């Protein structure tokens, strides 16, 4: 699979790159960022996939996530894809919480979205294959995390992929799209009104249906304006407790939903993942 380099730059001794390729999953060009820390020639490193939230591209975490020093310290590659297909002919919506920038990591089945919005297939299958081909990654040591809509994506991808990810964490995830306005709107639009078809895209439903993780780390700000209506971490904690999944859900006093929050705890998440990726 061919890959075009958009840009590269040195940071903390490693290489921060942005890359573009033609996606068979979305039938569009897709862009993603990869940070490769310094390493000995021939060495393969663990890889950590980061999924971004509503309105974001790869650039939000690349510019504001403050992960590179931690990735160098712990020897972890970080991959950050875009949040949706984009471009001429790709369906969109005037609202910021639907359409381009808001793919919700689903494979859409409904018009006008089904032609391009296959983010589940992209992040689960196509992107990892491209990363494995072009970068020095050890695909036996994968972790995944994300923010908000991307936290929802990380949780559901990991829960649908037993044994694939050694570590899963999230910042302020949408814990149960079945029980919030963002989920009602997006999943109805992308998947149709049959709520049974939504269950593979709801972390709490997946856990109740038998999916498991070895453990889980979540950070959530108490001053997050989306906390009560959209994010509902208590539902995720309850689902983990019912299933016996060890879950650390840390309510961080005074923090909001922004990258000022994410960057405050990013290094701790990278460290937490590295402990499991190198175990």
């Amino acid at each position: 699979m061919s890959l075009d380099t958009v840009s590269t730059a040195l940071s903390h001794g490693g290489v921060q790159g942005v890359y573009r390729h033609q996606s068979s999953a979305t039938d569009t060009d897709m862009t993603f960022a990869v940070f490769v820390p310094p390493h000995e020639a021939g060495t393969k490193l663990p890889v950590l996939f980061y999924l971004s939230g509503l309105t974001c591209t790869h650039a939000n975490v690349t510019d504001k996530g403050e992960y590179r020093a931690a990735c160098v310290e712990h020897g972890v590659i970080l991959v950050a894809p875009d949040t949706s297909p984009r471009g001429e002919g790709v369906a969109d919506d005037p609202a910021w919480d639907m359409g381009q920038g808001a793919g919700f990591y689903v494979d859409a089945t409904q018009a006008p979205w089904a032609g391009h919005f296959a983010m589940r297939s992209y992040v689960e299958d196509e992107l990892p294959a491209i990363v494995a081909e072009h970068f020095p990654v050890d695909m036996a040591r994968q972790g995944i995390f994300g923010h908000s809509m991307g936290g929802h994506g990380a949780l559901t991808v990991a829960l649908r992929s037993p044994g694939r990810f050694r570590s899963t964490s999230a910042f302020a995830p949408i814990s149960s799209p079945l029980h919030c306005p963002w989920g009602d709107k997006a999943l109805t639009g992308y998947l149709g009104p049959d709520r049974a078809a939504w269950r593979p895209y709801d972390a709490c439903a997946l856990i109740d249906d038998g999916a498991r993780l070895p453990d889980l780390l979540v950070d959530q700000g108490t001053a997050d304006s989306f906390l009560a209506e959209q994010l509902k971490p208590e539902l995720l904690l309850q689902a983990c407790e019912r299933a016996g999944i060890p879950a650390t859900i840390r309510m961080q006093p005074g923090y909001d939903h922004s990258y000022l929050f994410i960057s405050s705890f990013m290094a701790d998440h990278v460290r937490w993942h590295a402990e499991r990726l190198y175990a």
Side-chain angles (χ1 to χ4, degrees):
M1 291 175 278
S2 63
L3 190 66
D4 295 326
T5 299
V6 177
S7 65
T8 59
L10 286 178
S11 180
H12 296 275
V15 177
Q16 177 65 66
V18 178
Y19 307 91
R20 182 183 298 118
H21 69 105
Q22 174 64 33
S23 167
S24 59
T26 67
D27 194 27
T28 66
D29 283 347
M30 292 296 293
T31 301
F32 64 95
V34 180
F35 179 70
V36 180
H39 60 283
E40 294 184 4
T43 301
K44 291 193 173 184
L45 302 177
V47 60
L48 185 54
F49 291 90
Y50 177 89
L51 305 185
S52 294
L54 286 164
T55 76
C56 292
T57 71
H58 68 281
N60 295 77
V61 69
T62 304
D63 293 346
K64 298 183 286 188
E66 300 184 22
Y67 55 82
R68 281 172 283 266
C71 286
V72 170
E73 179 181 356
H74 299 291
V76 176
I77 291 171
L78 191 142
V79 178
D82 202 348
T83 52
S84 77
R86 301 177 193 268
E88 186 177 352
V90 177
D92 202 3
D93 188 278
W96 59 271
D97 56 357
M98 188 78 180
Q100 295 186 38
F104 268 81
Y105 304 100
V106 307
D107 280 355
T109 60
Q110 305 298 302
W113 313 106
H116 298 290
F117 279 70
M119 290 302 294
R120 171 181 177 174
S121 292
Y122 181 70
V123 300
E124 284 188 359
D125 301 317
E126 185 175 16
L127 179 63
I130 291 172
V131 168
E133 180 177 348
H134 291 278
F135 299 93
V137 297
D138 178 357
M139 296 303 283
R141 293 184 288 170
Q142 297 182 60
I144 191 167
F145 66 154
H147 170 232
S148 192
M149 180 186 73
H152 138 77
L155 293 172
T156 57
V157 169
L159 286 162
R160 289 192 303 260
S161 309
R164 176 173 175 177
F165 296 98
R166 293 194 183 185
S167 55
T168 304
S169 76
F171 301 100
I174 303 173
S175 295
S176 183
L178 278 160
H179 296 96
C180 74
W182 280 341
D184 284 343
K185 178 179 180 178
L187 298 186
T188 298
Y190 293 137
L191 304 174
D194 181 6
R195 293 174 70 87
W198 303 6
R199 294 187 71 81
Y201 301 106
D202 185 294
C204 296
L206 284 165
I207 292 169
D208 286 342
D209 290 345
R212 297 292 181 266
L213 297 172
D215 58 2
L216 175 64
L217 173 65
V218 172
D219 276 306
Q220 171 66 62
T222 62
D224 191 322
S225 61
F226 303 116
L227 175 58
E229 184 178 29
Q230 304 284 9
L231 305 177
K232 302 184 178 182
E234 69 278 4
L235 298 182
L236 181 60
L237 179 60
Q238 292 163 10
C240 288
E241 288 175 343
R242 288 193 297 271
I245 296 173
T248 301
I249 299 181
R250 305 187 298 198
M251 302 302 296
Q252 301 292 357
Y255 283 91
D256 62 13
H257 200 69
S258 73
Y259 268 87
L260 296 172
F261 156 61
I262 295 167
S263 64
S264 298
F265 300 98
M266 176 64 82
D268 194 39
H269 278 241
V270 172
R271 176 200 56 77
W272 186 88
H273 282 275
E275 289 174 353
R276 287 149 180 80
L277 295 172
Y278 276 100

